[in-house]
Amino acid sequence: MSKKYSHIIPLVFIGAGLIVLGVVAAVTLLKPGSLSTDLSVAPSTVNFPAPELTLNDLNGERVSISDYSSQIVLINNWATWCPPCRQEMPTLLKYYNKHIEDGFTLVGINAGDPPDDVARFVDEYGLTFPILLDPNKKSLINFRNANLPSSYVIDRDGKVILAWTGPISNAMLEKYVTPMLGQ
């Protein structure tokens, strides 16, 4: 090899090493249940009325967000193809099951997937909280956030008070949502 290109060889090895590190980090971080407190962002404090939103559940029944007005509600916008959405589902389900008797509910709003895909996803993850179908992405439009996952806490007065963009860890749910349940 000519001396002209000999300085490129170390750069190729460095680049390959960085790619390998990136792949290892991505695989490690995207494992279900691997979400640590450090990777979950804290929610933004917001204050606006919950949108009037009525959608169908998997059984074709009409459900409104206002149907849950006596509870603290976490709205979670998600999709079956979204890796962070898939990653946070076990955490959300565990938190829901732990706090359902405390006046808490979680409403998962699917952003446009075919109903059969959503039903398979719900079965695969053993989801027991309400799942609503949103073929026209009304929830994303009403909450003015097209990112997935995105989550919102609605208090018992119908006000949206917390907003997350990105996956949520159990530690963040316990820190920000659990104190509201006793009020």
Side-chain angles (χ1 to χ4, degrees):
M1 180 173 283
S2 74
K3 189 172 183 171
K4 181 178 176 183
Y5 296 107
S6 64
H7 68 286
I8 294 177
I9 293 174
L11 294 176
V12 169
F13 282 113
I14 290 171
L18 289 173
I19 290 170
V20 168
L21 284 174
V23 169
V24 169
V27 168
T28 302
L29 294 176
L30 294 178
K31 286 181 186 173
S34 68
L35 188 61
S36 73
T37 304
D38 298 334
L39 296 177
S40 178
V41 296
S44 299
T45 302
V46 296
N47 183 9
F48 60 90
E52 292 292 326
L53 193 58
T54 301
L55 300 165
N56 289 340
D57 66 13
L58 285 168
N59 297 318
E61 300 293 321
R62 302 289 286 164
V63 178
S64 295
I65 291 176
S66 61
D67 294 345
Y68 303 102
S69 62
S70 65
Q71 301 180 5
I72 300 295
V73 180
L74 177 74
I75 299 294
N76 177 255
N77 292 311
W78 64 281
T80 60
W81 51 264
C82 165
C85 301
R86 297 177 76 85
Q87 178 185 7
E88 77 176 347
M89 278 301 164
T91 299
L92 295 176
L93 178 60
K94 183 177 177 182
Y95 187 84
Y96 171 75
N97 288 334
K98 180 178 178 182
H99 293 287
I100 189 172
E101 299 298 323
D102 301 329
F104 172 78
T105 199
L106 173 81
V107 178
I109 300 179
N110 178 268
D113 290 318
D116 289 344
D117 291 353
V118 176
R120 276 191 295 278
F121 185 95
V122 167
D123 288 343
E124 177 184 345
Y125 282 83
L127 302 181
T128 56
F129 50 84
I131 299 293
L132 304 181
L133 302 172
D134 191 5
N136 299 316
K137 300 180 177 89
K138 291 179 183 178
S139 183
L140 298 176
I141 293 165
N142 280 295
F143 283 105
R144 297 183 182 155
N145 186 352
N147 296 303
L148 295 175
S150 59
S151 300
Y152 305 88
V153 174
I154 302 171
D155 69 11
R156 289 183 176 93
D157 295 325
K159 295 278 186 196
V160 180
I161 56 173
L162 296 174
W164 273 276
T165 297
I168 306 171
S169 70
N170 187 63
M172 290 293 112
L173 290 167
E174 291 291 351
K175 180 176 180 177
Y176 290 98
V177 180
T178 302
M180 290 182 233
L181 300 177
Q183 300 174 353

